[in-house]
Amino acid sequence: MIRLHLPFLAALLLATPAHAVVGGTEAPDTSLARSSVMVLSSRGGVCTGIVLARDVVLTAAHCAAPGAEHRVHFRDESGAPVMLGIAARVLHPGYDAGAIAGRRRSIDLALLRTETALPARFVPASLTEAPIAAGTPLTLGGYGVARPGDHRSTGTFRTATLPLVEPYGPSRILAWLKGPAASGACEGDSGGPIVTTGGGVLAVTTWSSGAGKGSGKSSCGGVSQGVLVGPQRAWIARTTGAWGAEARWE
């Protein structure tokens, strides 16, 4: 699980926005950024979320688990922080909080309904269930740290383009990305989009590993993992439909 611990709101909202995604590129004005927000926890967790409708956000389940208060965060056009309360939260029934430690299967997804609508500048993302071959370049985006352990480096949307790697096809649940250099998801990028070259969201980032030798205790820069959204289309449709919304699919 990719988490970043900060005092709820204070440290994040008072800090100057910096970077995100290790080894990535700043992309705050891209279409991918306009369909992404931050998800904050009263326990200090920071994650990324994907806008599916003006009041619906898709994220990782571990970013919205019970036992904490959550908010959807973004900055308005003047740069001032905005916090939206959560009116409803649904974790995927296949989510297992202890899956990583127990080496068990888990569908780490959650849908959030905000109390008020996001501004019109946010554009709902399109999801895709198109089959993708190993080696295909995919782009991962998020608001997490740019440098492992540097919690003040959150807040600016960044992206990294990495190839899809095996194992992939047999699971039909997860996707893995890994490039030749140390880059990819890091703390705070959970819940963020993994998209195809056409811009459709293929998966939701949920976990990352260190880059190997020389990475020390870092859990970033190695493999980035996401949950494929295609196999979960029925759950997404059922949940958003109950809220009077509908996710877009390519």
Side-chain angles (χ1 to χ4, degrees):
M1 298 180 185
I2 308 167
R3 288 196 178 185
L4 173 62
H5 296 289
L6 294 173
F8 186 44
L9 307 184
L12 173 68
L13 301 185
L14 295 178
T16 301
H19 307 291
V21 179
V22 295
T25 303
E26 290 187 13
D29 300 318
T30 61
S31 58
L32 193 57
R34 289 190 289 274
S35 62
S36 301
V37 291
M38 298 181 75
V39 178
L40 306 183
S41 163
S42 58
R43 290 184 173 177
V46 175
C47 286
T48 301
I50 304 162
V51 178
L52 297 189
R54 292 282 299 283
D55 62 349
V56 178
V57 173
L58 174 65
T59 189
H62 73 261
C63 297
E69 185 178 354
H70 297 87
R71 293 287 187 272
V72 166
H73 164 63
F74 60 93
R75 291 181 182 268
D76 65 20
E77 294 181 355
S78 70
V82 179
M83 307 294 299
L84 300 184
I86 304 302
R89 168 183 57 191
V90 176
L91 274 61
H92 194 286
Y95 171 59
D96 179 352
I100 294 177
R103 297 182 180 276
R104 297 186 297 270
R105 160 179 161 166
S106 177
I107 302 174
D108 193 353
L109 295 177
L111 284 161
L112 305 175
R113 186 181 187 188
T114 57
E115 292 178 342
T116 55
L118 290 159
R121 66 184 175 87
F122 284 96
V123 179
S126 292
L127 308 180
T128 183
E129 53 187 343
I132 305 296
T136 301
L138 300 173
T139 298
L140 176 152
Y143 285 100
V145 300
R147 296 170 295 279
D150 183 0
H151 295 168
R152 291 182 64 85
S153 67
T154 60
T156 290
F157 193 79
R158 284 174 67 92
T159 61
T161 299
L162 306 166
L164 185 72
V165 297
E166 296 289 4
Y168 164 66
S171 81
R172 288 300 300 159
I173 295 174
L174 302 173
W176 293 266
L177 287 70
K178 188 179 189 304
S183 63
C186 200
E187 301 167 279
D189 293 320
S190 276
I194 297 174
V195 303
T196 65
T197 54
V201 176
L202 179 77
V204 176
T205 301
T206 55
W207 176 86
S208 69
S209 69
K213 292 182 179 180
S215 63
K217 296 182 179 179
S218 172
S219 60
C220 312
V223 175
S224 297
Q225 175 183 287
V227 174
L228 294 165
V229 296
Q232 313 311 325
R233 183 168 183 167
W235 172 77
I236 293 171
R238 184 169 58 251
T239 305
T240 56
W243 295 340
E246 182 178 2
R248 300 178 180 179
W249 290 84
E250 290 185 344

